[in-house]
Amino acid sequence: TTTFVLSGIPYEEDIESVRVNGGETTAYSYDEESGTMIFTSAPGNGVDITIKYDGNIRRLSPSNVWSKI
C-alpha cells in the first residue's frame, strides 16, 4: 500500500473517478481528515494520476502535486 498526500479535495464523496495512466481504478481509499489517498498497489514512478472531483479534473504528477509519505 502506498499513501499520497493530496490537497484541495476535502470530501471522499466529491471524488467521481480516479485514473492511473488512463485506466480507471477503485483500488484506493481516501482519508478526508488527513487528505491522503491510499492505493492498494503503488502507482509506478512517473505515472499520471487523474482525479475527477466535484466537477473538476486534476492531473497529478509525482513531481509537482502529490507526495509519498
Side-chain angles (χ1 to χ4, degrees):
T1 304
T2 302
T3 303
F4 298 91
V5 176
L6 304 176
S7 62
I9 304 174
Y11 305 109
E12 184 172 12
E13 62 266 15
D14 290 340
I15 298 173
E16 298 167 32
S17 67
V18 176
R19 294 182 176 272
V20 177
N21 270 353
E24 190 162 351
T25 184
T26 58
Y28 70 89
S29 61
Y30 182 70
D31 184 316
E32 295 174 3
E33 191 170 311
S34 64
T36 57
M37 182 167 280
I38 303 160
F39 288 91
T40 304
S41 297
N45 290 335
V47 301
D48 288 323
I49 298 173
T50 305
I51 300 173
K52 183 176 181 184
Y53 67 98
D54 198 26
N56 299 296
I57 296 176
R58 179 178 292 169
R59 173 174 253 145
L60 308 177
S61 70
S63 62
N64 63 16
V65 179
W66 48 261
S67 58
K68 199 180 283 189
I69 291 179

